[in-house]
């Protein structure tokens, strides 16, 4: 009679152990491997929109491009390849956007549309005088025509983009030249993806800029060629990248007390520079 009892006790003990096993969290080594893999995915997928990654039915993580909060984005622009002359300083870029892919393409003035069509015809007919006159209409309205890969004329609009959340040295400040040159090196000849959040006092579009998977603000901060503009932007990632450059004394942080560009501009306005 004791044997069945023993078997029952052992069976009960087994189920008790199984219950405990089911409640255990995954082994720490497995978690470390999973988190490492997710971090690598997030770093390699900066251009992806926010997505949710689930491991089984018990653990889900949202993957959002580092340093970029998609909440508040008004629209996105994809630019034509950027010219070196389009970079005015370390935080401002002039870009052209193909109006065929623009969210506000329907707002192109009719006069500009017609000038673009007629100019394409004039170029095909080698009527360069007429093409020049029509180009003036297009340029005066803030647009331009560029030649596409297939030789077609593309109507594009010019925008000035202000990098969101950072402030680079002005051109006359120490490291102002270096900041501009680094931004040129990064974006020249590249098509950019820009998430637009706002418009500043000067009519510039304020946005996060992606260049072939590189978050431009992160790049400039890590290089020590920009400040985190924390008065207007509270993203912790930007502060982290700035502090990393400070610790390494990279770029402008080679100086123990570099002058902030917003303070420099204030002195210039008051005539104390």
């Amino acid at each position: 009679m004791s044997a069945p009892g023993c078997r029952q006790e052992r069976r009960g003990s087994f189920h008790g152990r199984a219950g405990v096993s089911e409640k255990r969290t995954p082994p720490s080594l497995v978690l470390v491997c999973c988190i490492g893999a997710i971090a690598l995915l997030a770093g390699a997928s900066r251009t992806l929109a926010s997505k949710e990654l689930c491991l089984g039915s018990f653990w889900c993580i949202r993957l959002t491009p580092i340093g970029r909060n998609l909440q508040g984005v008004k629209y996105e622009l994809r630019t034509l390849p950027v010219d070196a002359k389009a970079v005015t300083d370390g935080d401002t870029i002039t870009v052209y956007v193909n109006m065929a892919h623009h969210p506000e393409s329907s707002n192109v003035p009719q006069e500009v549309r017609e000038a673009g069509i007629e100019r394409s015809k004039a170029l095909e007919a080698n009527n360069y005088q007429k093409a020049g006159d029509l180009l003036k209409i297009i340029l005066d309205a803030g647009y331009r025509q560029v030649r596409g890969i297939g030789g077609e004329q593309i109507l594009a609009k010019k925008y000035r983009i202000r990098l969101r959340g950072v402030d680079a040295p002005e051109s006359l400040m120490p490291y102002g030249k270096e900041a501009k040159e680094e931004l040129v090196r990064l974006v020249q000849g590249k098509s950019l993806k820009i998430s637009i959040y706002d418009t500043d006092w000067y009519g510039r579009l304020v946005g996060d800029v992606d260049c072939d998977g590189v978050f431009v603000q992160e790049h400039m901060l890590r290089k020590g060629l920009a400040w985190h503009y924390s008065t207007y932007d509270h993203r912790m990632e930007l502060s982290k990248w700035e502090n990393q450059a400070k610790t390494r004394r990279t770029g402008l942080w080679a100086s123990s007390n570099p002058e902030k560009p917003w303070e420099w501009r204030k002195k210039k306005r008051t005539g104390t520079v």
Side-chain angles (χ1 to χ4, degrees), residues 195-256:
S195 301
I196 303 301
Y197 288 81
D198 205 353
T199 303
D200 70 7
W201 287 99
Y202 304 100
R204 299 174 298 187
L205 300 180
V206 180
D208 287 340
V209 181
D210 183 283
C211 177
D212 283 354
V214 175
F215 183 25
V216 174
Q217 284 98 309
E218 176 185 354
H219 180 87
M220 297 300 289
L221 287 167
R222 286 182 180 276
K223 288 285 186 178
L225 295 172
W227 277 261
H228 176 205
Y229 213 166
S230 56
T231 302
Y232 301 102
D233 189 293
H234 305 295
R235 286 176 287 180
M236 297 302 296
E237 293 87 353
L238 273 63
S239 291
K240 180 187 73 174
W241 297 324
E242 179 187 77
N243 288 330
Q244 288 173 348
K246 283 182 182 179
T247 301
R248 296 192 301 266
R249 301 186 69 84
T250 302
L252 60 90
W253 301 112
S255 171
S256 59

Side-chain angles (χ1 to χ4, degrees), residues 176-187:
K177 179 182 177 183
E178 289 84 350
K180 177 180 177 179
E181 290 176 348
E182 181 61 28
L183 188 55
V184 169
R185 188 194 66 78
L186 179 62
V187 304

Side-chain angles (χ1 to χ4, degrees), residues 14 20 61 104 115 137-138 141 143 153 161 163 184 191 194-195 201 223:
F14 172 79
V20 171
I61 290 180
E104 299 179 355
I137 296 173
I138 295 171
Y143 297 84
Q153 293 294 320
I161 305 297
L163 301 185
V184 169
S191 295
I194 307 174
S195 301
W201 287 99
K223 288 285 186 178

